[in-house]
C-alpha cells in the first residue's frame, strides 16, 4: 500500500537540514500519535545506561514496535521530535545520527532538542512520532 505521507521541500529554505521541512497527509488518512519511544527494555529497565547511541537505537527499536502495533511502519511517519537529555551538542548529534539513519531516505520533518531531564531513571533519549496511514 502506498504511503499517505508526502514530504515537502523548498528551494527557498536552507539545504543544510537533513530532513524535509514539511509533510502532508490526505484528510482521509488515519493519524497515529505515538507516545515518546524510550530506551526501555521489556522488563522496564533502561537500556544502554550512559550511552546516547545505544539509547537512541533502543528508542528507534521501540518506536518501530509501536508503529507496527498501530498498523504502520517507518515510511508512514509524518514527523518526529527527538529529545536528548544533554547540554552538549555532540550528544544531540550522536542520537540524531542514529534516528536519521533509521529513516534513511524517508527524511521526515524533525525537531532535535536538548532537555534537562527525561522521565525514566538514567534515560538520555526519547523519540516522539506521528504517522499517517490509509486504511
Amino acid at each position: 500500500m502506498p504511503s499517505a505521507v508526502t514530504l515537502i521541500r523548498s528551494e527557498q529554505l536552507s539545504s543544510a537540514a537533513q530532513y524535509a521541512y514539511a509533510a502532508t497527509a490526505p484528510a482521509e488518512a488515519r493519524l497515529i500519535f505515538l507516545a515518546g519511544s524510550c530506551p526501555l527494555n521489556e522488563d522496564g529497565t533502561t537500556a544502554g545506561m550512559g550511552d546516547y547511541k545505544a539509547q537512541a537505537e533502543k528508542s528507534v527499536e521501540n518506536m518501530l514496535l509501536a508503529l507496527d502495533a498501530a498498523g504502520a511502519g517507518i515510511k508512514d511517519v509524518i514527523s518526529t521530535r527527538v529529545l536528548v537529555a544533554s547540554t552538549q551538542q555532540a550528544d544531540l548529534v550522536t542520537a540524531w545520527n542514529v534516528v536519521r539513519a533509521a529513516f534513511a531516505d524517508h527524511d521526515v520533518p524533525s525537531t532535535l532538542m536538548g532537555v534537562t531531564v527525561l522521565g525514566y531513571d538514567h534515560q538520555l533519549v526519547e523519540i516522539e512520532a506521528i504517522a499517517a496511514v490509509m486504511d
Side-chain angles (χ1 to χ4, degrees):
M1 177 183 319
S3 176
V5 177
T6 301
L7 300 179
I8 299 169
R9 304 175 195 293
S10 171
E11 292 187 20
Q12 296 174 316
L13 296 168
S14 172
S15 61
Q18 298 177 2
Y19 46 82
Y21 277 98
T24 63
E28 62 273 16
R30 175 172 56 94
L31 296 179
I32 302 166
F33 299 88
L34 276 65
S37 295
C38 302
L40 297 180
N41 295 312
E42 219 174 299
D43 65 2
T45 59
T46 302
M49 288 191 348
D51 186 335
Y52 289 92
K53 182 177 184 288
Q55 288 205 7
E57 290 169 344
K58 185 64 175 178
S59 296
V60 166
E61 179 184 322
N62 288 339
M63 177 189 69
L64 294 173
L65 291 171
L67 284 166
D68 185 61
I74 201 162
K75 295 284 188 186
D76 299 310
V77 173
I78 196 166
S79 70
T80 66
R81 182 177 302 131
V82 180
L83 309 172
V84 182
S86 179
T87 60
Q88 301 301 308
Q89 189 177 35
D91 298 332
L92 277 70
V93 170
T94 295
W96 171 252
N97 286 340
V98 170
V99 175
R100 182 66 194 87
F103 278 87
D105 65 343
H106 187 64
D107 54 347
V108 299
S110 299
T111 299
L112 174 63
M113 297 174 57
V115 299
T116 57
V117 67
L118 290 165
Y120 292 100
D121 290 341
H122 311 289
Q123 181 184 358
L124 301 173
V125 178
E126 187 163 334
I127 305 167
E128 297 177 6
I130 299 171
V133 295
M134 300 298 291
D135 289 324

